[in-house]
Each structure stands twice: as structure tokens, then as C-alpha cells.
Amino acid sequence: MSETIPVRTIETPPKKKHDAGRIHPRSFRGFYRRLRIAGGSALFALFFGTVWLQWGDRQAVLWDLSTKQFHVFGSSFWPQDLLLLSAILMICAFGLFFMTVWAGRIWCGYTCPQSVWMWLFMWVEKQAEGDRNQRIKLDRSPATLSKLYKRAKKHGGWLLISLVTAVTFVGYFTPIRALVPDLLQLKADASAAFWVMAFTTATYINAGWLREKVCVHMCPYGRFQSSMLDSDSLVISYDVARGEPRGHRKPGADYHSAGLGDCVDCQMCVQVCPTGIDIREGLQIDCIGCAACIDACDTVMDKLGYETGLIRYASERELAGGRRRILRPRLVGYGAVLIVMVALLAWAIATRSLVSLDVEKDRSLYRFNHQGQIENSYVVSVLNKSHQDRTFRLHVRGLDGLHLVNAAPFVVGGGERVAVPVAVAVSPEALPSDVLDVEFELEALGGSSRTWQETTRFTGETQSPR
Ligand code: SF4
Ligand code: SF4
């Protein structure tokens, strides 16, 4: 068994806050920033683009609340398929566990919507108010028209992004090609308008005001992820052996002879950190794995002509001079469960029945018809989950002589549910008991030989009719 890495859960050192408790991260450049921009761009393209795709005459991805159907391109899912959704959520959870054991909070750093929107909001803030030092100065400056203008630009940008995000999100539940014109003409229905306002507010508060507090204090994953790391997990680490003792030095000085390590104590890694922590204090629960400190420190190392990687992705074992083990029981276990679950989900989707049959017996027990036969009434409900109209015929089994009073085929439109009232009759002499199980069989006509069965009860009395 691999040991768990000792992530600090105690209070982290006081953070550099400047504006009523706000952290002002410095902007920076580097490889991991480009990687995060690529991850964020892919997420934005997926989120803002997919909602506008059409599939036939409807939106390609739409959770239609009015019909309770979830459309994903050519497939439609019904409440009966909710189990598949649960399976997808479980796969996502195991995928997250796998990634955490392998590389810590890599999800948080590059693709979590909270982080991606937070970085976008920070970019808007920088465009409106300047970089870290200018923002700190602005916070301390008295209220002037110029300050008001900069603040208005920032909050206007945030609100605009929040509104577009909210409209897009609601557009996955209400067809967006109708929603947008309706909103522009103030004709949107009250519930759509309410949700647009609610999600605009939530996005504005989350990404603009709460930011890292969501990751640090509110996100449950942030809380439990530390217990999943082991000494071979790749985490963002400061190389203490190489960096300490830290200290300032003159350019080109022989700092090793002066007893100094590679860290020049420039504080850049702290200033770029969106959660305001100092990674040199060790791995902390507040670290969202954004790698900003790696980029900042590598830039400093490059400028000084030192080797990069003083802060880098490394396992605890590597930092202690050992070799990182990639294959270990926990990682292999999560990986195996993930593969099995994905395979099972693919099989469940591929073999999913596109027809659902439901038979409900009429509340009256039974009656005698004109031929003196005992008759029971049922409502047969057929749901056609495919997009094509289909023709069906019903059969009933369970007893010799048992038959449907009207066995004519019927059509169920694509994506529709049809309720067919039917009567089943049998002569009283053929009835072995007052209650017996009977089976309805639904046969698909027109090339398909598939059948669906549902068992229900038939009631009567074994005496002759009076
Ligand atoms: S310590 Fe580094 S990786 Fe962690 S949140 Fe701060 S900047 Fe990002
Ligand atoms: S950026 Fe690098 S050199 Fe500067 S304080 Fe951080 S670890 Fe030290």
C-alpha cells in the first residue's frame, strides 16, 4: 500500500490581501498558462457552441423539461433511462478519483468551470483596472470619477459574461434559438426569465466575488481530494532541497558559496497565486493546482540563468530522491473500475430498449360480455423512444382461449407515448381460478422481430354466467 501524502489541513500562513480581504494575483506568462488557456478554450467552445447545434428540426443537445426528454444528437433519453445518467455521474466521479491519485487537483487547475470562469473574470479585471500593483493602488485611492469608471467597466464586463453564460445554460433546457429572440423582445416566459436572472447572479457572485473561496471553502472535492493523494501522486511542489536557504543575492554572485539555495525570495510565486498561498510552505489544502507558481518561478529562473523547475509537478517520493511509481494499487484499482464502468455503460446504451411497455388493469374486476365470456379491461401504454413512427400489435398469453377483443395493429409516433384501451376475454369454463397471471406481448411490425412483455392479472369467476 502506498502511504497518504501529508497535505496540510491546518491554517495556511496569512495571505496577502489588499482590498477588504481580496487577493490581487499578478498576471504572468508560461507553458502552464497556455495549457490552461487551451483547456478553458475547449470548455468554452463546447459550452457556448454545442447549444447552437441543430439535429434535424430540433436542438442537438436539449433537456426538454416539458416532455421530460433529454436529446443528445440522434438519441433521446426518457425518465426511464435515469439509471444511465446515474452511471454517467458515477463514471465522472471515478474519473476524478483516478486523476486525483495520478496528478492531484489537475481537474481544478485546467478544466473546472469555477476556475475557468474565475480566470476569465480576472482577465476582465486586469483589462479594466490594470495589473496587481495598479489594482492595489486603485483600492487604496479615494473615490474619483476615474475609479468609478474603471469599476463600472469591470462589473459591466463581469455582468455581460454572466448574462451570456446564464442564457447559454438555460438554452440547454429551453430551445436557445427561440429563447434569445424572446429575451431580446421581452417575451420570454416567466420561468425562463427567472432562471436567466438567477444564473446571471450566481455566475457574477461565484466568479467575480467568491472566486477562490468556492474552491477552498465550498467545493466538497477540494476537501476530500487531499485524502486521496499518495506519495507517488504528481503535485505542485517546491523543491526545498534545491531552493533553501532562500535569500536575495546580487546578479552573477556565487550564491552557493554564500550558503544560499536557488530561491531568490522574489515572492513572484506568491503574487501570482489566485488563492494567495505560499507553495514554499508545503502542499496546502488551499492549492487549486493551477500551476501559476510554476510559470512564475520558471520565468524568474530563466531570467537568472538558473535551471527551471524549482517549483514543478513532482511526487513526494521524487522530491525525497526516490523514483516515482506510476503503477500502484490505488491508481490501478480506480483505472480498472473506470474501464469496467465505461464498458458497461456503452453496452447498456447500445442494447437499451427503444420501446417501453406498461400495462395497467382497469379498477373494475371483470364483466360478462354479450358472448357470455369474462372480460377484463386494461390500458396498455407504449412509449416509442426512437425518432421514427412504429407499428405494433398486441398479443395476450397465459391460458387457452384467452384473447384480445380488438387485436388491430396501432401506430406510435416517434418520441410519443400512446395509451391503448384493450379488453381481454375468455370463456368462464376455461378459467382455472378466480385470479391468474397473464402476459401481454407487444410485437413490432415492419421488419423488426422484437417483442416486449409485461405480466399482469386477469380476474373472473370459475362458475357459469347467470
Ligand atoms: S500554490 Fe501554485 S498551484 Fe497552488 S493555487 Fe497557488 S499558484 Fe496555483
Ligand atoms: S518564484 Fe521561485 S525564486 Fe521566487 S520566491 Fe518563488 S520559489 Fe523563490
Side-chain angles (χ1 to χ4, degrees):
M1 283 292 288
S2 40
E3 60 275 30
T4 299
I5 195 167
V7 176
R8 289 166 55 120
T9 51
I10 54 169
E11 280 303 305
T12 49
K15 295 173 183 177
K16 307 257 184 275
K17 296 172 179 174
H18 302 277
D19 173 17
R22 281 187 77 75
I23 296 163
H24 285 294
R26 178 188 282 273
S27 63
F28 60 96
R29 292 183 188 283
F31 172 76
Y32 293 104
R33 178 175 178 269
R34 289 197 293 280
L35 206 61
R36 192 174 43 258
I37 290 174
S41 304
L43 184 74
F44 282 143
L46 205 66
F47 177 68
F48 290 111
T50 307
V51 75
W52 290 97
L53 298 178
Q54 286 289 108
W55 188 268
D57 57 355
R58 63 160 170 77
Q59 194 169 306
V61 179
L62 178 71
W63 197 308
D64 190 338
L65 296 177
S66 58
T67 60
K68 298 193 181 71
Q69 289 179 53
F70 181 36
H71 304 290
V72 187
F73 295 93
S75 303
S76 294
F77 297 87
W78 296 71
Q80 290 86 344
D81 300 316
L82 214 63
L83 213 61
L84 293 178
L85 184 67
S86 319
I88 290 171
L89 291 177
M90 280 175 71
I91 287 173
C92 291
F94 271 91
L96 204 57
F97 298 162
F98 179 83
M99 279 200 300
T100 307
V101 176
W102 173 56
R105 286 181 88 163
I106 198 163
W107 158 259
C108 304
Y110 298 92
T111 40
C112 171
Q114 173 65 25
S115 303
V116 172
W117 261 256
M118 181 181 81
W119 287 105
L120 179 64
F121 274 48
M122 289 199 305
W123 177 82
V124 170
E125 186 171 58
K126 188 188 155 205
Q127 303 311 308
E129 298 181 345
D131 206 352
R132 172 186 155 85
N133 291 343
Q134 291 160 294
R135 294 202 302 275
I136 293 170
K137 217 167 127 190
L138 189 72
D139 284 352
R140 292 173 181 164
S141 70
T144 59
L145 269 180
S146 157
K147 181 171 180 174
L148 199 67
Y149 173 66
K150 286 177 179 170
R151 292 278 200 249
K153 251 193 350 185
K154 175 176 84 172
H155 291 288
W158 285 1
L159 280 168
L160 185 65
I161 297 170
S162 304
L163 181 65
V164 176
T165 303
V167 171
T168 305
F169 186 74
V170 174
Y172 281 100
F173 299 88
T174 305
I176 197 154
R177 286 169 194 249
L179 176 68
V180 171
D182 283 354
L183 286 170
L184 290 174
Q185 295 164 35
L186 304 178
K187 285 192 328 201
D189 71 65
S191 86
F194 168 79
W195 286 114
V196 167
M197 281 195 291
F199 286 118
T200 301
T201 311
T203 309
Y204 172 74
I205 292 175
N206 270 352
W209 290 94
L210 294 178
R211 288 189 183 174
E212 79 289 344
K213 293 178 191 70
V214 175
C215 312
V216 174
H217 303 295
M218 294 157 77
C219 175
Y221 169 60
R223 293 280 115 191
F224 74 72
Q225 56 90 26
S226 58
S227 63
M228 306 184 75
L229 301 176
D230 60 33
S231 50
D232 289 297
S233 300
L234 269 184
V235 286
I236 291 170
S237 320
Y238 167 69
D239 191 338
V240 178
R242 189 187 139 187
E244 299 296 317
R246 66 187 80 163
H248 300 281
R249 76 277 324 258
K250 290 208 173 85
D254 181 6
Y255 60 95
H256 286 310
S257 319
L260 289 172
D262 280 358
C263 175
V264 295
D265 205 14
C266 62
Q267 298 284 318
M268 284 298 166
C269 51
V270 182
Q271 291 184 12
V272 296
C273 179
T275 65
I277 57 172
D278 187 343
I279 192 69
R280 295 173 300 170
E281 302 288 330
L283 183 61
Q284 294 152 59
I285 205 160
D286 291 14
C287 175
I288 58 169
C290 69
C293 51
I294 301 185
D295 279 338
C297 190
D298 280 352
T299 307
V300 174
M301 295 291 109
D302 271 339
K303 274 190 191 152
L304 293 170
Y306 298 177
E307 195 189 335
T308 57
L310 178 57
I311 302 176
R312 62 182 185 273
Y313 279 101
S315 70
E316 194 192 28
R317 197 182 302 278
E318 278 172 314
L319 285 176
R323 268 190 74 188
R324 179 171 168 251
R325 291 178 308 153
I326 296 182
L327 290 180
R328 51 224 203 253
R330 206 186 296 191
L331 193 66
V332 171
Y334 283 134
V337 171
L338 202 57
I339 291 169
V340 170
M341 287 179 77
V342 169
L344 282 176
L345 178 70
W347 173 80
I349 290 177
T351 58
R352 165 179 89 106
S353 172
L354 290 177
V355 171
S356 153
L357 170 68
D358 190 38
V359 180
E360 198 174 325
K361 190 177 178 318
D362 193 89
R363 258 191 238 155
S364 62
L365 282 176
Y366 61 91
R367 65 179 175 275
F368 289 97
N369 65 16
H370 297 306
Q371 288 87 39
Q373 296 173 320
I374 294 177
E375 205 172 278
N376 280 204
S377 296
Y378 302 85
V379 175
V380 175
S381 183
V382 178
L383 172 63
N384 177 6
K385 299 185 203 167
S386 75
H387 294 131
Q388 292 82 41
D389 295 356
R390 298 184 77 173
T391 306
F392 298 97
R393 184 168 29 219
L394 274 171
H395 305 276
V396 66
R397 308 184 203 294
L399 189 65
D400 283 346
L402 193 75
H403 60 279
L404 284 157
V405 174
N406 179 5
F410 55 94
V411 176
V412 183
E416 286 181 1
R417 180 191 288 279
V418 163
V420 187
V422 296
V424 174
V426 70
S427 102
E429 294 79 34
L431 206 59
S433 61
D434 289 353
V435 180
L436 75 153
D437 285 344
V438 291
E439 184 185 75
F440 278 81
E441 184 178 88
L442 183 73
E443 179 194 7
L445 303 179
S448 165
S449 57
R450 276 218 60 179
T451 56
W452 296 265
Q453 289 78 25
E454 171 88 5
T455 301
T456 184
R457 290 198 310 178
F458 185 92
T459 53
E461 58 182 61
T462 48
Q463 301 97 9
S464 299
R466 282 156 282 189

